[in-house]
Amino acid sequence: MQIALKPAGGGGGAGAGPRLSPPPRPVPLAVRSDLIFGGALNQFGWIFFGFGMIFVWVFLPAAGLSSAFAFRGDMETAEGVVEESVRTNYSEGGSKHHHGTPVYATRYSFKAGGRARTGVSYATGRTLAKGAKVTIEFPKGDPSVSRIQGMRTSPFGPFAAIVVLFPLIGLGLALAGFRNGFRATLLLTWGREAEGTLVSREATNVRINKHPVYRLTFKFEGADKKTHTATAKTHRPEVLEDDARERLLYDPARPEDAVLFDALPGSPAIDPEGGLRCGSAAMSLMRLLLPGLSILGNGIAAVLVL
């Protein structure tokens, strides 16, 4: 959607405030932290990763991935006897109005390789009577890994490994945010300053906190006297529509590589001498909360589980 250009002098433009000092510019640690960890993409990535890993630590150890490979070859069988069937804390197929079907663990004993052996098999919604005769199967020559035919060696099948998709998506978002933040840091350090004029605003299919994310395109004149464009995506388009011209930083060697200053995470400020400072020290610390909790929580979970 094309929009009318803002009239000159409608908001003072980027030139109304202090200008940045010439490159290379020092970028304070708090500003770097905001750029790398503070973007909406990054913060949502850490949320997906942190919550997704909760399900990974709960369900992945119960997925029996290693035994799935063990039972791919030739099998041997033996007669076994059920010792007991007990309900586990796991269930499958739960919903808001249904707690799901419980998973039962069945303990059994059998003889193989000239010695008595025991094992545990799992099934959803299925129990066996104590003393019942069952057929035990195990990889040829290795009765140390066994199961009751028709059951599995873990509370869940290998399909439970799908839970890793959620933290992987989150990690991908966080890494994309990290890449964008690192790119913005380089442009703040080495980029050339310019002023862009808004030429278009388009709604994307993405929403953040129920607000649509917009793609805003600006045109600016580079050092080569040619017109170039810079784009920014934000769910708060008003921050890029409050001035007739918006400050941006671009790479003179690659003018298409540019960032809009007012769209930077953390809203860095420019002091009277042209240096950079973070918008809010307290908010800078808050933006580290999600990454910090995710890393700390998963570190503790790894120690407990592994």
Side-chain angles (χ1 to χ4, degrees), residues 23-76:
R25 308 175 191 91
V27 180
L29 181 60
V31 175
R32 291 176 183 266
S33 176
D34 283 339
L35 295 175
I36 292 173
F37 295 106
L41 192 67
N42 204 307
Q43 292 286 298
F44 273 95
W46 285 109
I47 291 174
F48 269 85
F49 177 75
F51 279 98
M53 284 302 296
I54 294 175
F55 296 97
V56 169
W57 292 118
V58 171
F59 292 105
L60 196 60
L65 296 179
S66 59
S67 61
F69 291 98
F71 286 90
R72 295 179 64 181
D74 295 333
M75 295 289 117
E76 290 187 51

Side-chain angles (χ1 to χ4, degrees), residues 34-278:
D34 283 339
L35 295 175
I36 292 173
F37 295 106
L41 192 67
N42 204 307
Q43 292 286 298
F44 273 95
W46 285 109
I47 291 174
F48 269 85
F49 177 75
F51 279 98
M53 284 302 296
I54 294 175
F55 296 97
V56 169
W57 292 118
V58 171
F59 292 105
L60 196 60
L65 296 179
S66 59
S67 61
F69 291 98
F71 286 90
R72 295 179 64 181
D74 295 333
M75 295 289 117
E76 290 187 51
T77 59
E79 184 180 270
V81 179
V82 173
E83 302 294 337
E84 65 172 344
S85 280
V86 296
R87 180 172 178 169
T88 69
N89 294 324
Y90 298 103
S91 63
E92 287 187 14
S95 66
K96 182 178 180 180
H97 304 290
H98 186 263
H99 295 298
T101 305
V103 175
Y104 290 89
T106 299
R107 305 183 189 279
Y108 57 88
S109 59
F110 69 104
K111 287 185 178 181
R115 52 177 288 195
R117 300 177 183 272
T118 60
V120 182
S121 287
Y122 298 85
T124 303
R126 179 185 175 190
T127 63
L128 296 174
K130 182 177 180 178
K133 303 295 183 181
V134 290
T135 299
I136 307 301
E137 63 180 2
F138 52 88
K140 189 173 183 178
D142 184 17
S144 63
V145 181
S146 64
R147 66 185 178 190
I148 297 174
Q149 273 190 343
M151 293 190 179
R152 52 185 182 262
T153 60
S154 58
F156 299 105
F159 75 91
I162 196 172
V163 296
V164 303
L165 290 178
F166 297 100
L168 284 178
I169 291 172
L171 188 60
L173 291 174
L175 289 176
F178 181 89
R179 180 194 61 193
N180 292 342
F182 183 72
R183 165 177 164 264
T185 300
L186 288 178
L187 287 172
L188 278 183
T189 304
W190 298 99
R192 179 166 294 188
E193 191 174 0
E195 294 179 359
T197 303
L198 183 62
V199 293
S200 70
R201 183 180 74 163
E202 301 172 279
T204 69
N205 294 322
V206 180
R207 302 182 76 86
I208 295 179
N209 294 332
K210 298 182 180 180
H211 296 289
V213 173
Y214 291 90
R215 180 188 294 106
L216 291 87
T217 302
F218 293 78
K219 69 175 182 179
F220 67 96
E221 183 180 281
D224 55 5
K225 302 302 180 182
K226 296 180 180 179
T227 299
H228 304 281
T229 60
T231 60
K233 292 181 181 179
T234 178
H235 66 294
R236 296 177 57 230
E238 65 274 8
V239 301
L240 294 175
E241 296 177 325
D242 57 348
D243 292 318
R245 298 175 300 280
E246 289 289 337
R247 188 193 313 270
L248 60 84
L249 292 154
Y250 71 99
D251 181 354
R254 297 175 62 249
E256 67 276 9
D257 188 8
V259 292
L260 276 300
F261 190 82
D262 284 351
L264 292 175
S267 302
I270 304 172
D271 60 34
E273 290 74 33
L276 292 162
R277 56 181 175 82
C278 70

